[in-house]
Amino acid sequence: MPAMSSMASESEPAPRMEIHVNGQPQLIAAGQSLGELLLALGLDPEQVAVERNGQIVPRRLRGGVQLAPGDQIELVTFVGGG
């Protein structure tokens, strides 16, 4: 018979944290990277500029940037026109 503690941990929701994206509160999975956030939001990482807590984050570093509770993320997408 399985231990009660393992059953309880399986039903617990994954830890979440709040950040702000373009000024709006957003709940995300704890430990999520900036690159994972972009993918979760359905954004093309090649078509977006990212600022975290007032500092530009280069594309090559986004996958390694761990988000933290309270982070302020600003996203600007590039739109072609004519």
Side-chain angles (χ1 to χ4, degrees):
M1 180 170 176
M4 268 310 233
S5 61
S6 68
M7 292 176 117
S9 66
E10 289 175 10
S11 64
E12 292 176 20
R16 314 235 350 127
M17 64 182 178
E18 184 176 289
I19 62 171
H20 286 81
V21 178
N22 291 349
Q24 300 297 314
Q26 176 108 15
L27 279 177
I28 65 168
Q32 194 171 49
S33 74
L34 187 51
E36 291 168 330
L37 173 67
L38 295 177
L39 293 175
L41 294 174
L43 297 172
D44 179 352
E46 297 296 317
Q47 298 296 316
V48 65
V50 180
E51 185 179 278
R52 176 182 179 226
N53 300 327
Q55 296 190 330
I56 299 289
V57 180
R59 277 189 202 103
R60 70 183 188 285
L61 300 179
R62 294 177 189 167
V65 173
Q66 290 294 123
L67 296 170
D71 274 352
Q72 301 289 323
I73 307 298
E74 293 295 325
L75 304 174
V76 178
T77 56
F78 303 113
V79 178

